[in-house]
Structures are given as C-alpha cells and as structure tokens.
Amino acid sequence: MNQSISDTSSLFSSVELGPYTLKNRIVMPPLTRSRSTQPGNIPNDLMATYYAQRASAGFMVTEGTQIEPRGQGYAWTPGIHSAAQIEGWKKVTQAVHAKGGIIFAQLWHVGRVSHTSLQPNEAKPIAPSAITADNVKVFIETGPGQGALSEPSTPRALSTDEVSELVNMYAQAAKNALEAGFDGVELHCANGYLVNQFISEHTNVRDDQYGGSLTNRLRFLKEIVAAVSAVVGADRLGVRFAPLFSSTDETRVYLGLVESDPQNTYIEAIKVLEQAGIAYLSIAEADWDNAPDLPEQFYKAARAQFSGRIIYAGKYTVDKALRILNNGYGDLFAFGRPFIANPDLPERIKQQWPLNEADAATMYGGTEIGYSDYPYYKNI
C-alpha cells in the first residue's frame, strides 16, 4: 500500500454504521487465515489475540465462517454452527469489545468450491447446478497440520426444498453469531461462492424459481437477506459482492465470475439490498497486479442506488481511498494485507509511518508466526 503525504484526516472522521458510531473509516475486511482448532474448526485464544490487536479499525469483519459443515472449502477455517464454535467465537468478541472494537461475523458457504474430503461423509459438494468449479483450487488436509491445494470436486445440484433449508441455515447462523456476541453479520455473496453461484449465469442453469431470469437468480440472495435481517435487524447486516468486469490468468486466490453484463447484474443485486434496508454494501474490487479499477459508471450507479454505507476493498492505497471518499462514491475502506501485517494500521496511516510487509508463506494455517507476532510501530 503506497503511502503518500496526503491529508488523511477525512479517513479519521467518525461515521454512523447502523446503530454504531465508528471511530474511523478504516475497515479490516474478511481475511481467511485457517488458524482454527482441530478437530471441529473451533475459534481459539490465538484468534482472539489476533483480532483484538486490530481493534483500532473503524470496524472489523471476521474471516469467512462456514454456516454449516457442507459450507467448508478450505481446511482449518472456522465454523459458526456448533456449540463449541459459538463458545470459541465468544473469546474473540469479548477480546475485541474489551479494546473498544466493533466486529461483525462473515457468514460463508462455499457451495461447489469444495472437495469431498472436506464434506460430511465425503459426499459431493452442493451447488445450484452440477457444474464443476474451474480456475480455482481448494485446500485440503493431508495430515495433522499438513495440507495441499486440490482441484474442487464435482458438485451435485440442490433440490428446491434444499435451497429453502439453506435459507434457514443462514438464519440459524445469524442467531449463533448474536449468541457469540457479534455486533452484526456480513453475508459473503462474492468470489464465486454459494450465493454468487446462484447469481451467476455461468453457474446457475436451474429451471425452478431460483434459476433462469436475473430476478430468479437473485431470489436466493433476497431470501437470505430477509431471513437474516429478521434475526439481527437490517441495520446490523452487510452484504459483500465482487462485481468483476475483467479477469486474469494470474495464479491467485479465487475472485469469482465475470458476467456478460456485470453492470446490470450487480446494480440489480444492489437494488435488492436497498429494498431490504441493510446497513452496508461491501464491494471487493479486482486485486491482482495492475488490475483495473471498477468503471466510473459503476461507482456512480452503486452510490445512486444504495443509501446505506458502501465499503470498498481490493489493493486499496490511502490515495485511492481518499479519491473515492472525496468523490462521494464510498464511505469506508478496507485494507487486507496491510492489516495482516500491521495490527496498528490506522495509527500508521494517520502518522504516515512505514508499514510492515505481509509474509505470504505464513498466510494460511500455522501458528502465531506471521499471525499475531507482527510488531506495532512503537515497538519496533
């Protein structure tokens, strides 16, 4: 993240988000780190330390947290469907709240982006349609603390009744999040995972009310937003999208699917969220090297259609965040890798101190090394 000598004070103005007043506009976005305790994918003391270290963010969203056992696509990611997982997350929320932070849980279901070895009884992953995911790898356990990348398994298509059951699972996960002490929840509807699989013309060839027209492909989104809003309140709910307008051959973490008309697809999706009255919309931009910004017309249309807060993320620099804020397109800005490596990121931005670099080798799995041992600037 390139630092500049810009006036960053506007990033440190307070802002309302639903019932909360945030102390700054700097967000820690969902970042998969695969540090949960095994067996059981249980959040732990190490995770509580990591999140509490970063509680100076305006607010934080947890790493993707699977809503049910079939929702897992990567080894060692935490869940929010068992009693032990809820108890584990209580450690995290209590540690963050003790530091004055605000934290939402990201509710996640990977759908087809999984492997039989990660599924209950080694069953096929579930998806809107039985189309195998390509251009993506999943991460499977090959031994205790050992893992490897693998091709996703071919999924099976969900029945109509099973789709309704999944809506209820999202609602139950939201209840679990409240029990665990979270301040709200974010629905992961981006990056080619389950909700995105329903939205996309490439992955949804259903002939029931959840497939066909764009209105039908948006139905699952609309239903889970309504179900989760009924549990947590629309003012404590966010939704994350990744509206890709181009792709890349670069080997990288999965970003998702490029629609034939991404502008129309995602503006219609945003209209669903506006009608539901949710607190915020989180937009993950392309983040590969030299990726293009979203088209200016998309920023303008998203702002025109959505009256809640808009968060932008995706290799953002401070300068880009200031430009989007000054243009009135976005309200909050998420910095991923910089927050991994800099627990005191807001203060570093404010003081224009240099940043630690993130170590790619310790990104997923492992111990406190490359996780909770990054130094604060004052301690260097």
Side-chain angles (χ1 to χ4, degrees):
M1 187 173 67
N2 301 324
Q3 291 289 76
S4 72
I5 312 302
S6 304
D7 177 5
T8 62
S9 59
S10 56
L11 291 176
F12 293 89
S13 56
S14 66
V15 57
E16 304 299 314
L17 181 75
Y20 306 109
T21 300
L22 310 186
K23 56 201 168 203
N24 60 56
R25 295 170 182 265
I26 297 166
V27 176
M28 179 174 159
L31 297 159
T32 294
R33 305 303 308 278
S34 301
R35 277 351 192 250
S36 68
T37 295
Q38 301 305 312
N41 298 319
I42 300 164
N44 52 41
D45 292 330
L46 180 61
M47 290 167 60
T49 298
Y50 164 81
Y51 282 106
Q53 286 173 339
R54 290 155 179 78
S56 62
F59 92 115
M60 294 185 283
V61 185
T62 69
E63 61 214 274
T65 301
Q66 51 261 12
I67 64 164
E68 59 131 337
R70 298 176 302 175
Q72 184 174 16
Y74 307 87
W76 316 319
T77 53
I80 194 159
H81 51 82
S82 75
Q85 290 164 353
I86 294 167
E87 289 305 306
W89 280 120
K90 285 179 182 176
K91 297 177 181 179
V92 173
T93 60
Q94 288 164 5
V96 167
H97 292 153
K99 291 282 190 77
I102 295 169
I103 185 165
F104 281 34
Q106 192 193 53
L107 305 184
W108 187 29
H109 198 303
V110 299
R112 70 179 190 157
V113 186
S114 187
H115 188 272
T116 53
S117 69
L118 295 164
Q119 293 291 310
N121 303 315
E122 300 203 344
K124 289 183 175 182
I126 57 172
S129 302
I131 302 169
T132 308
D134 54 8
N135 297 323
V136 59
K137 294 282 198 292
V138 294
F139 187 76
I140 62 172
E141 186 172 274
T142 55
Q146 301 292 314
L149 292 170
S150 174
E151 297 291 333
S153 301
T154 300
R156 69 169 182 85
L158 289 155
S159 71
T160 304
D161 287 346
E162 284 179 310
V163 178
S164 298
E165 289 166 10
L166 274 164
V167 175
N168 293 333
M169 288 178 189
Y170 274 95
Q172 183 60 53
K175 290 175 187 167
N176 296 348
L178 293 184
E179 185 183 341
F182 284 105
D183 299 302
V185 301
E186 176 178 296
L187 297 175
H188 193 346
C189 303
N191 303 125
Y193 298 120
L194 182 66
V195 185
N196 195 175
Q197 289 160 34
F198 274 92
I199 294 171
S200 177
E201 65 201 294
H202 304 300
T203 47
N204 183 344
V205 295
R206 300 177 69 89
D207 56 10
D208 64 359
Q209 66 263 38
Y210 294 102
S213 67
L214 179 56
T215 300
N216 280 0
R217 299 199 312 272
L218 291 171
R219 191 181 305 275
F220 184 61
L221 168 70
K222 188 173 183 177
E223 289 182 359
I224 64 171
V225 166
V228 172
S229 292
V231 173
V232 302
D235 63 345
R236 294 202 288 168
L237 174 60
V239 166
R240 182 169 240 221
F241 290 142
L244 291 184
F245 283 73
S246 61
S247 195
T248 178
D249 294 328
E250 189 178 305
T251 302
R252 54 162 334 284
V253 174
Y254 197 36
L255 256 183
L257 303 144
V258 183
E259 305 306 309
S260 56
D261 186 352
Q263 173 91 10
N264 182 60
T265 300
Y266 281 97
I267 294 306
E268 289 303 310
I270 289 168
K271 288 177 183 176
V272 169
L273 306 184
E274 175 65 15
Q275 289 163 1
I278 69 168
Y280 73 85
L281 163 66
S282 177
I283 300 285
E285 294 192 41
D287 67 352
W288 55 83
D289 290 338
N290 303 314
D293 289 349
L294 285 168
E296 198 82 5
Q297 64 180 23
F298 182 85
Y299 291 122
K300 289 178 177 175
R303 181 75 283 175
Q305 294 294 342
F306 190 71
S307 59
R309 299 298 176 201
I310 301 181
I311 302 170
Y312 279 103
K315 271 202 174 167
Y316 262 65
T317 61
V318 170
D319 279 349
K320 185 176 178 183
L322 291 168
R323 177 170 63 82
I324 297 295
L325 180 62
N326 293 339
N327 284 338
Y329 298 153
D331 306 291
L332 296 148
F333 302 92
F335 300 95
R337 284 171 179 259
F339 243 128
I340 286 174
N342 299 274
D344 53 347
L345 182 66
E347 192 67 12
R348 289 186 189 238
I349 290 173
K350 185 184 238 179
Q351 305 295 343
Q352 302 190 1
W353 292 334
L355 300 183
N356 301 322
E357 286 293 316
D359 173 23
T362 53
M363 215 65 93
Y364 307 109
T367 63
E368 72 279 358
I369 297 166
Y371 187 63
S372 60
D373 67 343
Y374 283 105
Y376 292 74
Y377 182 77
K378 285 179 285 198
N379 297 339
I380 293 175

